[in-house]
Amino acid sequence: DAGVTQSPTHLIKTRGQQVTLRCSPKSGHDTVSWYQQALGQGPQFIFQYYEEEERQRGNFPDRFSGHQFPNYSSELNVNALLLGDSALYLCASSLGAPPGPHGYTFGSGTRLTVV
Amino acid sequence: GQQVMQIPQYQHVQEGEDFTTYCNSSTTLSNIQWYKQRPGGHPVFLIQLVKSGEVKKQKRLTFQFGEAKKNSSLHITATQTTDVGTYFCAGRGGNQFYFGTGTSLTVIP
């Protein structure tokens, strides 16, 4: 049973550029949540997708956008990158929202460095 | 907005000593989850607590949910080097979970 797959694992971008991160949820899961984790901090909720729609959003600017496809996979797009966007981006999948007694299944993350 | 704080931020213990991390929310929580993140890794789900005053055990780990459902704790008995990592609580707000600030545990052999 496949876990959560994220790509790429590492990425270096220049300020002002745009980036797209990808996530395939665990088999059987239909909900994808994206988190940003800065070094030494807890994951911060960006948004959540269910049935191809953004259902909830955290306190992130409109530069952060996403998409969910019919096969439940998801993309996170960040425009006009800032140095402060450097972080580990985690995708978490679940069956429905909120996650039930088995919690979120996280991917290994994409380490984004903005220079 | 919802805030979930954890103390301490860091904890160094000798192998075999006990360890406790505390999680406090600014609002009442529907339920709370705990995750462990190894250095360089991603969060891994440990457990969910739902009922007021609930206590659950997983081998050497004991999880407790406060009576007012605004706080929680994780206690590890007789720590081992495999317990190294950052422990996060996550409280439910709406349909997703807000993660706490985490407690980083170092175990000295």
Side-chain angles (χ1 to χ4, degrees):
Chain A
D1 199 15
V4 177
T5 305
Q6 289 188 245
S7 64
T9 55
H10 296 83
L11 203 52
I12 300 175
K13 288 287 190 178
T14 304
R15 268 184 306 176
Q17 285 188 316
Q18 178 265 344
V19 69
T20 297
L21 311 181
R22 296 176 175 82
C23 171
S24 292
K26 180 179 177 179
S27 177
H29 286 183
D30 57 6
T31 303
V32 172
S33 301
W34 285 92
Y35 285 84
Q36 180 196 65
Q37 186 176 27
L39 201 60
Q41 298 185 19
Q44 297 295 309
F45 175 69
I46 304 175
F47 43 54
Q48 181 184 78
Y49 278 85
Y50 172 70
E51 291 186 337
E52 302 180 50
E53 289 189 13
E54 182 182 295
R55 299 292 178 169
Q56 285 205 294
R57 189 179 184 92
N59 189 26
F60 278 79
D62 292 344
R63 298 187 296 108
F64 290 77
S65 63
H67 190 78
Q68 186 180 35
F69 300 92
N71 66 353
Y72 307 120
S73 66
S74 177
E75 288 182 350
L76 163 64
N77 301 293
V78 187
N79 293 323
L81 285 166
L82 303 174
L83 295 180
D85 295 331
S86 296
L88 179 67
Y89 288 84
L90 293 163
C91 171
S93 75
S94 58
L95 179 59
H102 301 293
Y104 285 123
T105 299
F106 279 88
S108 298
T110 294
R111 173 72 62 187
L112 173 65
T113 302
V114 182
V115 297
Chain B
Q2 184 164 0
Q3 292 192 13
V4 181
M5 303 297 292
Q6 284 182 252
I7 55 171
Q9 187 175 1
Y10 302 96
Q11 184 79 59
H12 294 230
V13 299
Q14 281 298 135
E15 188 174 14
E17 291 182 337
D18 293 355
F19 160 77
T20 304
T21 174
Y22 300 91
C23 175
N24 296 289
S25 170
S26 57
T27 59
T28 301
L29 301 170
S30 303
N31 51 35
I32 196 160
Q33 296 183 346
W34 284 90
Y35 292 78
K36 176 184 178 181
Q37 186 172 21
R38 293 181 183 274
H42 57 276
V44 174
F45 174 75
L46 294 177
I47 207 161
Q48 175 171 280
L49 305 171
V50 178
K51 300 176 183 176
S52 169
E54 187 171 12
V55 178
K56 286 188 175 181
K57 292 188 176 184
Q58 289 181 348
K59 297 181 180 178
R60 296 178 293 104
L61 277 62
T62 302
F63 304 84
Q64 188 165 6
F65 201 7
E67 293 290 342
K69 302 184 76 172
K70 294 183 72 173
N71 57 72
S72 181
S73 65
L74 158 60
H75 179 83
I76 302 178
T77 303
T79 54
Q80 300 175 359
T81 55
T82 54
D83 295 326
V84 165
T86 300
Y87 292 84
F88 293 100
C89 62
R92 178 180 163 184
N95 283 333
Q96 35 78 26
F97 283 80
Y98 291 93
F99 280 74
T101 47
T103 295
S104 177
L105 172 63
T106 300
V107 179
I108 304 164

